Amino acid sequence: MRVYNTLSKRKEEFVTLEPGKVKMYVCGPTVYNLIHIGNARPMIVFDTVRRYLEHKGYEVNYVSNFTDVDDKIIAKANEEGVSSQEISERYIAECQKDMEALNVRPATTHPRATQEIDGMIAMIQTLVDKGYAYDVDGTVYFRTRKFQEYGKLSHKNLDDLRSGNRSLLVTGEDQKEDPLDFVLWKPKKEGEPSWPSPWSDGRPGWHIECSVMSKKYLGEQIDIHAGGEDLIFPHHENEIAQSECCNGKEFAKYWLHNAFLNIDNRKMSKSLGNFFTVREILEKYDAQVLRFFMLSAHYRSPLNFSADLMEAAKNGLDRIRNAVSNLKYLMDCGTAAESKSGSAVQNAVDGKQDLTSLEAASGELDLVAQGMASGMTVEEEGLLASMKGYEEKFDEAMDDDFNTADAIAVIFEMVKFANSNLTSENSRALLQAAYDEIVSLSDILGLIVEEKEELLDADIEALIAERQAARKAKNFARADEIRNLLAKQGITLLDTREGVKWKRA
Ligand code: AMP
Ligand code: ZN
């Protein structure tokens, strides 16, 4: 598997620190408002990376923070006349709702900055003790000049940056030794949340949060650190400086950055005001369409948001969904045929008809049983083998720096294959294999393509009646099948003396 590393600016072979395990940190949102679909891009992209790594057999420890102390949160709290905590808790809850809708799995741990202040003070203290940080009137700065490798991630020319940032020296932060020094701790202003520290009552800078939370939940060295490309400089550059100077070890092996989601070729952002919240998009579209749209481009390519592209995403997703529901329909046709011949046998037995028709009927039963056991003809075995080829192609695409665009193209090929080769004449085993293949490849991308039909009460009652009839006819296979089908819909059956009762989960 090859992964593009921002640090080396090339694709590298992916080798984990510990065999079979991946430690991964993704910078999460600052929670002062509903997230916009630009914020959703890293969430969806790196959730997909995680799912793929798990598919490859890795155990992934996935940590993603919520930044819950920040100027923007404080400003919003003042605007509404409530506490910062109320704002951050409200928007963490809202963000989690959006993530769930987008089928973004919760991280192994979602640390919150305000819960980790002790760790931040300890790391800042270590940096001060080692001479990498200095305190001026209660503000602690990181001494960038002392870290020889500063700039290695963003590949920036530090002298240019220094002269470009000289203006900072005359706009308030004039106590700094170097324009590139950045804040680790700042004293509180009136009405701001604060914590006691050896330097002042105050709060941490943004960058130190991630260094500390990553170390606490994943250890001093991690495999993957990720986020949007706007975080490369200064946020991730500063995280590297803090972590490597504190721990004396390389911080992260692979740095992954998603490109921007744009509107009219400009970055979607709160400050430009050119954004749509996830919530707004979900009023118009199924959340899965948004997920599909995000994955239809490679994560390192800019993606321009437009109604046309969303329509194209909707059509693409529908094509997969239609193929899946068609396969289900074909299987149901097959099941109907099988149970019809099964009941022919039963009728023959029940009716105690003459021996020849009974033999004929049980012969029919043998054929059905044979078909169900061996499943496939030689020709079908061949079709099954070509299907496995799609799985390999899918993995090849994803092994090449998580190329979801190509991976989706492979799912389309598989869909085309199923649409043009499979009919109700095929064995259930083959149809099921095709169905499972499309569903499971889609699932690696976090795309839900199975129809989740909500069963109506009347349908449930009908299925229960059919199950009773099947049991009476000693067709236990069908009876179990119905029970399982209902269980999949979250419906449990209770066999009581008064008859079958059911309840929804
Ligand atoms: P923020 O809340 O601004 O710190 O952003 C949270 C995450 O969303 C970070 O990883 C950002 O890089 C990412 N992000 C913000 N805007 C965009 C955008 N327009 N396109 C892609 N990623 C973005
Ligand atoms: Zn971060």
Side-chain angles (χ1 to χ4, degrees):
M1 193 167 87
R2 290 165 68 74
V3 175
Y4 182 89
N5 191 350
T6 307
L7 204 55
S8 62
K9 285 170 104 174
R10 58 183 180 82
K11 287 184 196 167
E12 294 175 20
E13 193 57 34
F14 185 67
V15 184
T16 55
L17 293 161
E18 245 184 280
K21 292 192 176 170
V22 177
K23 299 192 241 311
M24 179 167 179
Y25 187 95
V26 181
C27 292
T30 307
V31 278
Y32 65 101
N33 220 325
L34 291 175
I35 59 163
H36 62 69
I37 55 177
N39 301 132
R41 190 170 188 193
M43 287 178 186
I44 292 171
V45 158
F46 298 116
D47 174 67
T48 306
V49 167
R50 173 198 196 175
R51 285 169 185 267
Y52 185 66
L53 291 170
E54 287 181 352
H55 162 73
K56 297 280 280 187
Y58 290 105
E59 189 187 303
V60 184
N61 190 346
Y62 188 95
V63 176
S64 190
N65 65 296
F66 286 116
T67 295
D68 62 349
V69 56
D70 175 86
D71 289 344
K72 294 180 202 119
I73 300 174
I74 296 168
K76 177 89 169 179
N78 291 341
E79 205 179 289
E80 288 193 19
V82 298
S83 68
S84 294
Q85 193 184 348
E86 189 171 330
I87 296 293
S88 58
E89 276 177 10
R90 182 197 306 159
Y91 290 110
I92 287 172
E94 297 297 344
C95 177
Q96 283 169 330
K97 279 188 216 158
D98 289 338
M99 285 168 64
E100 191 182 339
L102 294 166
N103 205 21
V104 169
R105 280 169 46 205
T108 316
T109 316
H110 277 291
R112 300 178 185 193
T114 56
Q115 312 288 313
E116 310 289 344
I117 303 289
D118 288 351
M120 295 181 208
I121 291 175
M123 189 180 271
I124 297 170
Q125 187 63 60
T126 306
L127 291 170
V128 171
D129 294 345
K130 289 188 167 184
Y132 286 109
Y134 56 98
D135 165 19
V136 187
D137 300 336
T139 302
V140 184
Y141 295 101
F142 186 90
R143 186 172 278 131
T144 43
R145 233 182 252 282
K146 194 166 156 76
F147 180 50
Q148 298 300 320
E149 295 171 79
Y150 192 79
K152 67 177 171 181
L153 181 72
S154 50
H155 309 279
K156 285 188 187 293
N157 181 322
L158 296 189
D159 290 333
D160 289 353
L161 273 175
R162 285 208 167 90
S163 50
N165 277 292
R166 215 154 261 153
S167 56
L168 281 183
L169 293 176
V170 290
T171 56
E173 294 193 329
D174 48 356
Q175 311 146 306
K176 295 201 289 191
E177 292 174 1
D178 182 317
L180 289 186
D181 290 355
F182 56 90
V183 171
L184 298 173
W185 187 268
K186 56 184 151 194
K188 71 164 181 187
K189 294 194 197 113
E190 197 47 42
E192 289 185 355
S194 68
W195 292 263
S197 85
W199 314 285
S200 59
D201 275 4
R203 60 187 164 103
W206 170 36
H207 317 300
I208 195 75
E209 296 175 8
C210 290
S211 282
V212 167
M213 292 186 270
S214 176
K215 179 175 176 173
K216 175 162 174 190
Y217 294 99
L218 297 170
E220 292 182 347
Q221 289 189 287
I222 66 172
D223 296 290
I224 298 178
H225 196 117
E229 68 182 6
D230 52 339
L231 301 187
I232 298 173
F233 188 87
H235 184 54
H236 287 164
E237 196 72 74
N238 292 352
E239 280 189 46
I240 292 178
Q242 298 162 154
S243 295
E244 299 198 353
C245 292
C246 174
N247 305 324
K249 290 185 182 135
E250 186 186 39
F251 178 30
K253 271 186 95 172
Y254 304 94
W255 289 85
L256 272 57
H257 293 101
N258 65 273
F260 291 144
L261 178 73
N262 293 331
I263 282 197
D264 300 326
N265 300 311
R266 290 180 78 192
K267 180 195 174 192
M268 182 179 286
S269 75
K270 292 250 167 74
S271 51
L272 289 173
N274 60 348
F275 65 89
F276 289 106
T277 60
V278 168
R279 224 38 83 75
E280 283 168 323
I281 297 301
L282 299 194
E283 278 170 19
K284 280 203 190 144
Y285 293 96
D286 176 342
Q288 289 294 301
V289 172
L290 185 57
R291 186 167 181 123
F292 186 96
F293 163 76
M294 295 284 185
L295 297 178
S296 62
H298 187 272
Y299 76 94
R300 284 189 292 110
S301 305
L303 181 56
N304 216 21
F305 181 81
S306 71
D308 283 353
L309 282 180
M310 283 297 282
E311 279 308 310
K314 183 177 176 303
N315 293 338
L317 186 64
D318 280 348
R319 218 157 103 208
I320 302 174
R321 286 181 164 169
N322 287 342
V324 167
S325 67
N326 188 43
L327 284 166
K328 186 166 182 309
Y329 170 77
L330 296 180
M331 281 191 277
D332 289 347
C333 293
T335 309
E338 278 159 16
S339 55
K340 212 157 78 198
S341 46
S343 55
V345 176
Q346 204 54 52
N347 289 344
V349 176
D350 286 350
K352 295 200 175 43
Q353 286 167 6
D354 65 59
L355 211 57
T356 31
S357 72
L358 187 57
E359 272 169 3
S362 60
E364 204 179 336
L365 181 65
D366 280 347
L367 265 183
V368 172
Q370 238 176 40
M372 288 203 309
S374 78
M376 287 179 230
T377 61
V378 177
E379 192 202 338
E380 287 190 326
E381 299 277 358
L383 290 173
L384 186 69
S386 3
M387 270 161 37
K388 293 290 155 205
Y390 292 111
E391 201 176 311
E392 280 162 30
K393 251 180 116 175
F394 178 94
D395 280 11
E396 259 169 47
M398 292 296 281
D399 278 349
D400 181 16
D401 193 30
F402 310 105
N403 195 333
T404 54
D406 283 1
I408 287 177
V410 177
I411 300 180
F412 281 145
E413 281 179 42
M414 173 68 209
V415 160
K416 197 170 162 204
F417 171 88
N419 288 348
S420 43
N421 288 294
L422 306 180
T423 69
S424 59
E425 299 298 310
N426 285 114
S427 67
R428 188 185 173 92
L430 183 69
L431 295 170
Q432 185 74 53
Y435 180 97
D436 291 347
E437 186 77 19
I438 300 177
V439 169
S440 69
L441 293 183
S442 305
D443 184 57
I444 296 171
L445 302 178
L447 292 170
I448 301 166
V449 295
E450 271 175 303
E451 236 174 284
K452 292 255 180 331
E453 320 147 15
E454 178 78 355
L455 282 181
L456 300 173
D457 287 6
D459 299 330
I460 297 169
E461 309 281 353
L463 279 165
I464 291 173
E466 192 190 337
R467 175 170 169 268
Q468 292 301 87
R471 277 163 43 132
K472 200 159 159 230
K474 301 208 163 20
N475 184 354
F476 296 112
R478 178 66 186 152
D480 285 348
E481 197 174 274
I482 294 173
R483 176 184 277 276
N484 293 340
L485 193 132
L486 289 170
K488 268 196 197 157
Q489 304 278 334
I491 291 147
T492 32
L493 301 183
L494 302 165
D495 291 308
T496 70
R497 226 175 280 167
E498 294 80 42
V500 180
K501 299 228 158 75
W502 62 273
K503 61 170 194 233
R504 287 183 203 270

